[in-house]
Amino acid sequence: MNTHQTQAQLAQQIAAIREFNRYYTARLGLLRRRHLDGEFALTEARILYEVSAQPKVTASALQETLELDAGYMSRLLSGLIRRKLIRRVSSDTDAREKPLLLTAVGQKAVARLNEQSMAHIHGMLTHLSAADRAALVTSLAGVRSLLEDRRQAPLRITRLTAPDDHALALLNEYYEAVHVVQRDKPGSIQQLIDDPASGIWLAYLDDEVVGCVVLRKLTTLPHASECKRLYVKPSARGRHIADKLLDAQEAYARSQGIEWIYLDSYDDLKAAIWLYEKRGYERCERYNDNPQATVFMRKHLDT
């Protein structure tokens, strides 16, 4: 194909994408003054969703995730704070940062937005067959994969084979971030590494450790282990690193004949609970004596 033909083909492809953009922005209601005809503009609604999904996200991390101008982001956040939907809190790890949390009013607003969004999309899908809905979701995932920035630092997930200073530092950051009372001691770290039904996984972007997850054998339940210490640094969020850590953990657990993975959490960690539910975890009865835990879940691993 010569240069002229290539340019002509590219022009046709650009036109096709622009035509699709015009279609879906109208179909999804993105051109309306208020998102879903509610009380928020689309960007305001997206900020509220991100703060709900990532409690204590920083303004800088939010700006990077949404790819917004710093001044515009600042004005939007100031407006949401004035309306008592978001509040700033003190950082557990960096005094220079003021992480963001939803207020009680903000939580109710996000709940309304989620209900409105689900109802809107449900209405779009009702005329499709199950096969067509599955094809649509697969196509959307394919579009995202093709358009993701390949220039980003590659992600690497590794299972520890020996105690690591980076792992200890990240675990300590996790303990402080979620105020963990029952913490792992150095000796228990070695036991997690040595036990074939346990393990520690770290996520690296280039040479920086940005995430972790722990699998711990449960002696009180047969063929079961426990998911613990799932954490991703705020600066690395938005890249599905938590999902990839859990993928690695579950793949390893299957290889060891583990049938169930349990976990505990508490009600304030709404983003984590949402992630676990999305991945097939279901509520269950209390299975341990963790004094901080209020939510208990488990997942059966299909072989």
Side-chain angles (χ1 to χ4, degrees), residues 1-10:
M1 184 179 295
N2 60 37
T3 302
H4 177 73
Q5 290 173 317
T6 300
Q7 292 298 323
Q9 184 183 65
L10 180 60

Side-chain angles (χ1 to χ4, degrees), residues 99-115:
L100 305 167
L101 283 176
L102 291 180
T103 64
V105 175
Q107 291 174 4
K108 291 178 181 178
V110 169
R112 289 195 301 273
L113 284 167
N114 285 335
E115 290 176 4

Side-chain angles (χ1 to χ4, degrees), residues 68-250:
L68 294 176
D69 172 77
Y72 183 42
M73 172 63 76
S74 178
R75 291 192 296 274
L76 288 168
L77 285 176
S78 295
L80 294 171
I81 290 170
R82 282 197 304 272
R83 293 160 69 181
K84 301 188 184 306
L85 295 156
I86 289 176
R87 63 188 176 94
R88 297 185 187 273
V89 297
S90 299
S91 171
D92 298 308
T93 57
D94 189 342
R96 297 168 298 179
E97 292 279 12
K98 291 292 184 182
L100 305 167
L101 283 176
L102 291 180
T103 64
V105 175
Q107 291 174 4
K108 291 178 181 178
V110 169
R112 289 195 301 273
L113 284 167
N114 285 335
E115 290 176 4
Q116 291 166 345
S117 180
M118 290 180 68
H120 180 66
I121 295 172
H122 181 272
M124 293 172 57
L125 299 181
T126 50
H127 71 286
L128 298 178
S129 67
D132 286 342
R133 293 196 299 271
L136 175 61
V137 172
T138 300
S139 298
L140 292 174
V143 169
R144 176 172 182 159
S145 177
L146 288 170
L147 294 181
E148 280 184 336
D149 190 351
R150 284 351 190 235
R151 297 169 297 176
Q152 289 183 332
L155 178 69
R156 175 168 53 93
I157 308 288
T158 63
R159 181 173 180 267
L160 281 188
T161 57
D164 183 296
D165 289 342
H166 297 300
L168 294 175
L170 195 63
L171 285 171
N172 284 327
E173 182 175 329
Y174 163 79
Y175 298 147
E176 296 300 324
V178 297
H179 311 293
V180 173
V181 174
Q182 295 181 343
R183 305 186 177 193
D184 296 300
K185 297 178 181 179
S188 64
I189 299 293
Q190 185 65 57
Q191 291 175 355
L192 289 170
I193 292 170
D194 293 339
D195 188 336
S198 304
I200 301 175
W201 285 261
L202 297 182
Y204 291 83
L205 289 176
D206 286 335
D207 294 326
E208 181 188 1
V209 178
V210 297
C212 64
V213 72
V214 168
L215 184 71
R216 174 181 293 148
K217 181 180 179 180
L218 284 175
T219 58
T220 55
L221 295 167
H223 311 294
S225 289
E226 183 180 28
C227 174
K228 304 289 288 183
R229 317 310 190 206
L230 178 63
Y231 180 67
V232 177
K233 286 187 173 183
S235 61
R237 291 172 187 168
R239 296 192 55 171
H240 305 284
I241 293 174
D243 267 314
K244 291 169 184 175
L245 283 164
L246 292 172
D247 286 342
Q249 181 193 68
E250 291 175 14

